[in-house]
């Protein structure tokens, strides 16, 4: 990669197949103090949100019959606040816990390793791989890991189905087979399968503010990146139904943060014909399917892009993964914090004493907005060209983009305004919900006239009927 690949909206928009002639419709409010880091996190965040907002404005103008795409302005204050939305969330005044005690950096005999154990099953697998009892303390785990090499821990925990990644420098990641495979991929993989007829969507009667209105989105994602993408599609008017297996509940606070605008249901696709039949009925009238499980995990349910192209011609398929569906790590689970460690980000942001981290889970949030943008652009392209379209961003490829250069402002587009970022209050709101009184970050994706907020707050996980609204 070269400096020209640095995090700019122009680069992201081009990667999404967008018309360069629309970039002058975009401007930014640049704020010092927003998402400060050694790497260009602010520029990456602005670029991802800008590309998403421009894709929304483009689709809205097309459906509303406007001669010109609405102007898009991206404010670093809104973006910086939204990129740490999980930290701004309050539920009846209570702040959420974002990382469990065993999700952290650990010293090993030859370096560092980072683990992810927020979910109970991942915690159990981590301790099992280390030969420790379920109630093992942080001190006990630290003592165990200090006696092993980082790569040894990485391999053992992965073999047990858990999550641990050894700290690597950017140079070490570049030499790693997975790092080389990721570097050879586009920022967002895009393609068309089959020759389905072009999509038909009702016009928006001159109002572009709900460009995704009428789209039914089947949300099969978890954690942050995928739910951020579908939360954004819900903001833009889509009917989003999140479906989870009943035995794998989402973390309550995480669900509250990313559940705005959606409904949440559970279906067990392995337990028998009833739930599977309901799912098939949902799929039969879905316009978009977004998945966020590790590559191949849902293929047995006929949810690969190729199978969906046969079963539901013309559908848009968004597939999110941590490492990509290629290379030796193509089938591995992963999270933002672990990708930062593997790719060299943690080494760059840290010190000789300890690895560091980005000021936000920017790989998650940024990739989520890229995924939403890719879906919107696929819908727009499908209005003319038809076909079943797929969009595949990965956290690791977003990480490579972040490390490609030092950023270049907003990219091509209108003039920027210089300001500062301090108090996030202008980009926070409150609302009552079935979960309690919520304080939350407002959406950063908007264009002339809106949208300004979601149409509904989140409800309890799995509490809705598995049907379209």
């Amino acid at each position: 990669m070269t400096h020209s690949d640095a995090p700019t909206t122009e680069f992201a928009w081009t990667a999404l197949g967008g018309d360069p002639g629309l970039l002058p419709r975009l401007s930014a409010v640049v704020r010092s103090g927003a998402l400060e880091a050694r790497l260009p996190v602010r520029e990456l965040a602005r670029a991802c949100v800008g590309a998403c907002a421009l894709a929304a404005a483009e689709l809205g103008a097309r459906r509303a019959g406007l001669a010109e795409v609405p102007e898009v302005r991206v404010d670093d204050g809104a973006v910086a606040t939204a990129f740490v939305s999980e930290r701004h969330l309050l539920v009846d005044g209570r702040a959420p816990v974002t990382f469990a005690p065993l999700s952290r950096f650990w010293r090993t005999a030859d370096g560092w390793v980072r683990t992810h154990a927020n979910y109970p099953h991942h915690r159990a697998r981590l301790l099992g791989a280390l030969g420790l009892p379920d109630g093992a303390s942080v001190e006990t785990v630290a003592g165990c890991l200090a006696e092993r090499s980082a790569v040894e821990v990485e391999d053992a925990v992965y073999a047990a189905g858990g999550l641990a990644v050894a700290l690597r420098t950017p140079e070490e990641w570049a030499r790693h087979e997975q790092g080389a495979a990721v570097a050879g991929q586009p920022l967002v993989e895009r393609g068309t399968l089959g020759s389905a007829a072009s999509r038909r969507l009702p016009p928006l009667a001159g109002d572009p503010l709900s460009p995704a209105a009428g789209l039914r989105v089947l949300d099969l994602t978890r954690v942050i990146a995928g739910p951020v993408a579908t939360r954004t599609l819900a903001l833009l008017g889509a009917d989003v139904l999140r479906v989870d297996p009943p035995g794998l509940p989402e973390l309550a606070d995480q669900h509250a943060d990313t559940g705005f605008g959606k409904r949440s249901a559970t279906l067990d696709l392995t337990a028998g014909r009833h739930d599977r039949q309901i799912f098939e009925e949902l799929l039969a009238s879905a316009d978009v399917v977004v998945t966020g499980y590790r590559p191949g995990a849902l293929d047995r349910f006929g949810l690969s892009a190729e199978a969906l192209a046969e079963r539901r011609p013309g559908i848009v398929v968004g597939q999110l993964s941590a490492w990509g569906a290629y290379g030796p790590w193509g089938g591995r689970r992963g999270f933002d914090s672990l990708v930062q460690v593997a790719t060299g980000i943690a080494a760059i942001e840290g010190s000789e004493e300890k690895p560091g981290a980005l000021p936000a889970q920017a790989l998650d949030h940024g990739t989520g907005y890229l995924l939403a943008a890719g879906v919107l652009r696929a819908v727009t392209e499908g209005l003319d060209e038809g076909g079943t379209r797929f969009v595949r961003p990965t956290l690791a490829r977003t990480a490579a983009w972040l490390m490609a250069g030092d950023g270049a402002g907003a990219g091509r587009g209108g003039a920027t305004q210089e300001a500062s970022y301090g108090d996030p209050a202008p980009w926070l709101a409150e609302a009552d919900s079935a979960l309690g009184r919520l304080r939350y970050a407002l959406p950063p994706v908007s264009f002339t006239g809106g949208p300004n907020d979601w149409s509904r707050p989140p409800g309890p996980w799995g509490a809705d009927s598995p049907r379209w609204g």
Side-chain angles (χ1 to χ4, degrees):
M1 285 177 287
T2 67
H3 179 80
S4 62
D5 298 333
T8 66
T9 306
E10 182 176 3
F11 184 81
W13 184 243
T14 302
L16 293 164
D19 177 5
L22 295 181
L23 284 167
R25 306 301 295 167
L26 174 72
S27 62
V29 178
V30 176
R31 295 183 184 272
S32 60
L35 298 174
E36 290 186 320
R38 293 174 182 165
L39 289 166
V41 179
R42 179 181 63 172
E43 288 79 8
L44 177 135
R46 184 194 303 140
C48 293
V49 171
C52 186
L54 194 56
E58 176 193 33
L59 178 57
R62 174 67 184 275
R63 294 187 62 192
L66 302 183
E68 195 170 53
V69 170
E71 291 186 355
V72 173
R73 173 155 292 187
V74 180
D75 191 314
D76 280 354
V79 173
T81 304
F83 264 59
V84 290
S85 60
E86 64 275 10
R87 298 182 204 168
H88 289 301
L89 179 72
L90 294 178
V91 182
D92 285 334
R94 176 187 58 81
V97 176
T98 54
F99 282 99
L102 298 189
S103 295
R104 47 165 282 184
F105 285 109
W106 309 85
R107 270 203 178 278
T108 62
D110 61 350
W112 293 88
V113 71
R114 182 152 190 172
T115 55
H116 195 287
N118 285 3
Y119 291 92
H121 58 293
H122 291 155
R123 182 180 186 277
R125 292 168 186 172
L126 169 65
L127 293 175
L130 300 178
L132 298 175
D134 183 57
S137 66
V138 169
E139 292 74 20
T140 299
V141 175
C144 177
L145 293 176
E147 299 174 352
R148 306 189 187 191
S149 74
V151 172
E152 178 190 353
V153 173
E154 178 182 272
D155 290 341
V157 175
Y158 167 68
L163 292 141
V165 171
L167 176 73
R168 292 174 172 84
T169 65
E171 295 75 21
E172 288 170 335
W173 180 244
R175 293 192 298 268
H176 192 280
E177 190 176 349
Q178 188 64 31
V182 169
Q185 296 295 325
L187 178 62
V188 179
E189 293 182 79
R190 305 165 56 249
T192 305
L193 300 168
S195 56
S198 58
R199 180 178 301 278
R200 293 287 181 265
L201 290 173
L204 296 178
D207 179 8
L209 299 186
S210 297
L215 290 176
R216 289 176 167 175
V217 178
L218 200 53
D219 178 3
L220 308 177
T221 69
R222 296 179 62 79
V223 198
I224 296 178
V228 163
T230 52
R231 180 181 72 182
T232 303
L233 296 174
L235 169 76
L236 298 168
D239 181 5
V240 179
L241 178 64
R242 173 167 168 167
V243 177
D244 288 278
L248 197 62
E250 183 61 277
L251 301 175
D253 291 332
Q254 203 158 258
H255 172 71
D257 177 49
T258 60
F260 284 87
K262 314 177 198 178
R263 287 173 299 110
S264 169
T266 60
L267 289 171
D268 190 343
L269 302 187
T270 66
R273 298 175 60 182
H274 178 69
D275 280 14
R276 185 61 187 266
Q277 180 179 348
I278 293 174
F279 181 81
E280 292 296 328
E281 291 171 355
L282 291 169
L283 180 61
S285 58
D287 300 290
V288 179
V289 173
V290 183
T291 66
Y293 292 75
R294 61 186 175 85
L298 300 179
D299 288 3
R300 58 185 168 139
F301 303 118
L303 293 173
S304 68
E306 293 75 15
L308 286 166
E310 295 182 4
R311 300 168 66 201
R312 185 78 170 100
I315 202 168
V316 172
V317 184
Q319 296 176 307
L320 173 81
S321 64
W323 310 105
Y326 40 76
W329 287 15
R332 291 198 179 194
R333 301 171 179 85
F335 293 90
D336 181 308
S337 58
L338 302 184
V339 176
Q340 289 189 40
V341 171
T343 59
I345 291 174
I348 292 172
E349 295 292 338
S351 65
E352 293 184 3
E353 288 74 33
K354 187 176 181 180
L358 298 176
Q361 294 191 66
L363 307 181
D364 264 336
H365 286 270
T367 307
Y369 289 109
L370 288 176
L371 176 55
V375 168
L376 294 166
R377 291 242 59 255
V379 171
T380 299
E381 292 175 338
L383 293 173
D384 295 322
E385 303 167 14
T388 299
R389 296 174 183 274
F390 64 85
V391 181
R392 293 176 183 143
T394 72
L395 302 187
R397 185 59 184 83
T398 302
W401 184 38
L402 175 64
M403 295 191 291
D406 61 4
R412 271 170 47 198
T416 61
Q417 295 181 4
E418 296 289 341
S420 61
Y421 178 69
D423 184 0
W427 302 284
L428 297 174
E430 293 192 6
D432 291 318
S433 75
L435 303 175
R437 182 72 176 174
L438 302 179
R439 188 194 72 176
Y440 61 97
L442 288 166
V445 172
S446 66
F447 43 91
T448 302
N452 301 312
D453 203 345
W454 290 274
S455 61
R456 56 182 290 165
W461 177 85
D464 295 299
S465 298
R467 57 179 176 79
W468 296 114

